[in-house]
């Protein structure tokens, strides 16, 4: 998350940044400078098939043929015009159910990174632009299938139905890495504007209320420690994400949204296996509306434990238990249902996942996984308009082909 609205990136900025990369490239090419040797361009594409026996996930997955509406396409470029300066950007097109309108290419990240200090003991730098939030272990690379342990990340921590909120921010971030005899400590802090997409409005049930949800200054920070070359990894993340709802409904005042999570992440790695766990407390709410029916304050709880095993050089299997509670004071959702807001099972989700990955070669990945879920706490609203028609217990199969270049 990052500083002021004057720095806010728009889709036009994506073109400007990528155009700047090309301009630098062209200028250096004419000058026959070695800077051009630092230019890197990469891309990736993933296509998944989603099949569910009940409820819909990323499209009409409960239909006979399942859903093919889960596609990720990205392209990125980076260059070093100076040994201490990195310019990098990525454009992403991602379709995840709905009507496909979210598949429009957008700037995923775009930064100018200046490293003011770098030696064998420590590094210190600053980034300006749109940066990926250091949220847990996987958020910064979550859309690249080759960096994920499974097709779907644990939904209790890495929400796909409100992904815009935690994905990236526009502003300024600073980072520091200290290299010790026993391991490395890395700290990252950012201040600026978070993103507030339609997914967040739908989850807050503001999508049918005339008005606009706009980001306010927010902050995120993470401290991460890697011991013994990454054998043991621990991280602590906290954030304060804020937004303002400007009402256009007569008689309804403006209101404010806040999201304040704490996430503890732990991982132990051996040559052939890894054990990973993350735990989060998530305080969120709406306030300052003159209609008390809009205001709320809840603290949710999320955690998962995941075991991955590598075999035959290019295969990996996974087993994971993932748990989400939307309100720690109403774990079963009974009070929520009694209020008439929706079914009790929409307030929690417990997911048992089995997964398998095959790296055919460094550029091609095939993956399959099975989910058995009790609850619909992270089910996308856009694919299930009427929560009362959803089923508490459901199963899901996913198959994915991923390419990179």
């Amino acid at each position: 998350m990052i500083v002021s609205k004057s720095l806010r990136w728009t889709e036009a900025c994506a073109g400007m940044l990528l155009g700047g990369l090309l301009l630098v490239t062209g200028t250096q090419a004419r000058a026959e400078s070695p800077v051009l040797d630092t230019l890197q361009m990469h891309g990736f594409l993933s296509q998944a098939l989603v099949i569910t026996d009940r409820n819909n996930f990323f499209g009409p997955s409960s239909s006979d043929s399942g859903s093919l509406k889960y596609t990720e396409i990205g392209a990125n470029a980076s260059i070093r015009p100076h040994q201490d300066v990195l310019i990098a950007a990525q454009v992403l097109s991602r379709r995840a159910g709905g009507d496909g309108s979210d598949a429009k290419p957008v700037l995923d990240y775009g930064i100018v990174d200046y490293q003011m200090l770098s030696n064998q003991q420590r590094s210190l730098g600053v980034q300006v632009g749109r940066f990926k939030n250091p949220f847990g272990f996987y958020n910064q690379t979550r859309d690249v299938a080759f960096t994920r342990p499974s097709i779907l990340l644990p939904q209790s921590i890495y929400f796909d139905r409100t992904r815009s909120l935690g994905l990236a921010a526009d502003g300024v971030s600073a980072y520091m890495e200290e290299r010790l005899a026993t391991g490395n400590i890395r700290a990252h802090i950012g201040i600026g504007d978070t993103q507030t997409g339609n997914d967040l409005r739908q989850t807050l049930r503001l999508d049918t209320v005339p008005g606009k949800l706009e980001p306010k200054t927010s902050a995120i920070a993470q401290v991460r420690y890697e011991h013994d070359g990454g054998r043991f990894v621990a991280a602590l993340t906290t954030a304060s994400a804020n937004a303002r709802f400007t009402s256009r409904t007569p008689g309804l005042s403006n209101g404010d949204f806040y999201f304040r999570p704490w996430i503890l992440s732990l991982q132990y790695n051996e040559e052939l296996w890894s054990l990973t766990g993350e735990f989060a407390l998530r305080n969120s709410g709406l306030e300052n509306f003159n209609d008390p029916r809009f205001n709320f304050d809840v603290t949710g709880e999320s955690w998962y434990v995941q075991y991955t095993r590598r075999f035959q050089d290019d295969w990996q299997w996974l087993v994971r238990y993932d748990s989400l509670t939307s309100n720690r004071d109403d774990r079963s959702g009974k009070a929520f249902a009694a209020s008439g807001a929706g079914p009790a099972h929409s307030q929690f989700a417990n997911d048992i996942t089995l997964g398998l990955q095959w790296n055919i070669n460094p550029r091609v990945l095939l993956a399959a996984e099975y989910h058995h879920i009790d609850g619909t706490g992270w089910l996308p609203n856009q694919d299930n308009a009427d929560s009362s028609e959803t089923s508490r217990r459901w199963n899901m199969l996913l198959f994915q082909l991923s390419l990179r270049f």
Side-chain angles (χ1 to χ4, degrees):
M1 314 174 179
I2 328 201
V3 301
S4 102
K5 294 183 180 176
S6 64
L7 290 174
R8 189 175 303 158
W9 289 75
T10 62
E11 293 166 11
C13 291
M16 291 173 61
L17 185 57
L18 292 176
L21 284 172
L22 293 175
L23 179 61
V24 170
T25 301
T27 302
Q28 298 300 336
R30 288 191 296 271
E32 296 183 356
S33 168
V35 170
L36 185 59
D37 295 337
T38 68
L39 175 66
Q40 295 189 37
M41 301 183 70
H42 301 284
F44 58 88
L45 182 152
S46 295
Q47 176 61 56
L49 169 65
V50 185
I51 302 171
T52 55
D53 57 351
R54 299 177 184 87
N55 307 325
N56 287 319
F57 190 85
F58 291 167
S61 58
S62 62
S63 65
D64 292 339
S65 57
S67 173
L68 290 169
K69 291 187 175 183
Y70 183 27
T71 307
E72 299 163 306
I73 304 173
N76 56 70
S78 66
I79 195 168
R80 285 191 176 276
H82 185 273
Q83 63 179 3
D84 298 327
V85 178
L86 173 70
I87 301 174
Q90 177 167 288
V91 172
L92 178 69
S93 171
R94 183 179 185 270
R95 179 179 62 171
D99 58 6
S101 59
D102 58 347
K104 183 179 179 181
V106 297
L107 182 66
D108 186 39
Y109 65 81
I111 54 121
V112 177
D113 184 316
Y114 171 55
Q115 198 165 84
M116 58 196 73
L117 174 66
S118 180
N119 55 43
Q120 291 184 345
Q121 185 177 355
R122 66 179 57 90
S123 298
L124 179 65
V126 62
Q127 297 177 345
V128 178
R130 172 168 293 178
F131 64 88
K132 300 296 283 288
N133 288 322
F135 191 88
F137 277 150
Y138 300 114
N139 189 67
Q140 290 179 302
T141 58
R142 64 186 295 170
D143 294 315
V144 183
F146 291 83
T147 68
R148 299 191 298 248
S150 53
I151 298 173
L152 292 182
L153 288 173
Q155 292 296 293
S156 68
I157 303 287
Y158 305 96
F159 286 99
D160 273 308
R161 78 171 188 173
T162 55
R163 62 179 257 121
S164 66
L165 179 64
L167 189 63
D170 300 336
V172 174
S173 70
Y175 61 89
M176 179 274 292
E177 183 172 0
E178 189 78 11
R179 289 173 277 277
L180 308 175
T182 56
N184 296 338
I185 298 177
R186 183 178 177 88
H188 194 146
I189 184 169
I191 301 173
D193 290 342
T194 189
Q195 299 184 66
T196 53
N198 290 331
D199 55 352
L200 180 59
R201 284 194 64 174
Q202 290 175 342
T203 300
L204 295 174
R205 302 188 176 191
L206 294 173
D207 52 316
T208 60
V209 181
K212 189 173 183 179
L213 188 64
E214 297 180 305
K216 295 172 59 178
T217 300
S218 303
I220 190 168
Q222 183 183 81
V223 177
R224 177 173 175 144
Y225 173 67
E226 297 187 7
H227 179 76
D228 191 19
R231 181 185 295 271
F232 174 73
V233 185
L236 182 64
T237 308
T238 187
S240 176
N242 305 286
R244 177 76 165 175
F245 184 77
T246 305
S247 173
R248 295 174 184 166
T249 302
L252 179 65
S253 69
N254 299 334
D256 296 292
F257 166 75
Y258 57 87
F259 176 57
R260 298 163 186 156
W262 285 88
I263 305 172
L264 175 64
S265 308
L266 299 171
Q267 186 176 76
Y268 183 80
N269 297 293
E270 284 289 351
E271 181 181 359
L272 296 179
W273 60 271
S274 298
L275 182 64
T276 307
E278 296 190 88
F279 176 84
L281 291 177
R282 302 170 287 101
N283 177 238
S284 62
L286 289 171
E287 60 183 3
N288 299 326
F289 285 101
N290 58 0
D291 186 338
R293 293 175 298 177
F294 287 87
N295 298 322
F296 70 89
D297 178 87
V298 299
T299 297
E301 179 182 292
S302 304
W303 62 273
Y304 74 88
V305 176
Q306 169 185 284
Y307 176 82
T308 57
R309 179 79 181 190
R310 295 168 285 279
F311 64 101
Q312 298 294 325
D313 294 332
D314 47 15
W315 288 81
Q316 174 180 286
W317 62 265
L318 166 148
V319 59
R320 180 171 66 219
Y321 184 83
D322 185 26
S323 177
L324 165 70
T325 300
S326 295
N327 186 348
R328 300 181 84 194
D329 295 328
D330 183 27
R331 291 181 177 274
S332 67
K334 290 182 179 179
F336 182 83
S339 71
H345 60 71
S346 68
Q347 297 302 290
F348 61 86
N350 299 304
D351 177 9
I352 299 173
T353 302
L354 301 174
L356 184 66
Q357 291 185 347
W358 177 28
N359 282 279
I360 298 176
N361 60 53
R363 299 182 182 275
V364 182
L365 172 68
L366 285 176
E369 65 191 48
Y370 165 74
H371 296 253
H372 174 70
I373 308 109
D374 177 15
T376 59
W378 44 259
L379 203 62
N381 293 324
Q382 63 180 3
D383 297 315
N384 303 270
D386 188 350
S387 62
S388 65
E389 295 184 356
T390 59
S391 300
R392 171 177 169 173
R393 291 181 173 84
W394 52 294
N395 298 280
M396 177 165 58
L397 276 172
L398 298 99
F399 304 93
Q400 188 175 62
L401 169 65
S402 303
L403 310 172
R404 64 179 173 183
F405 55 88

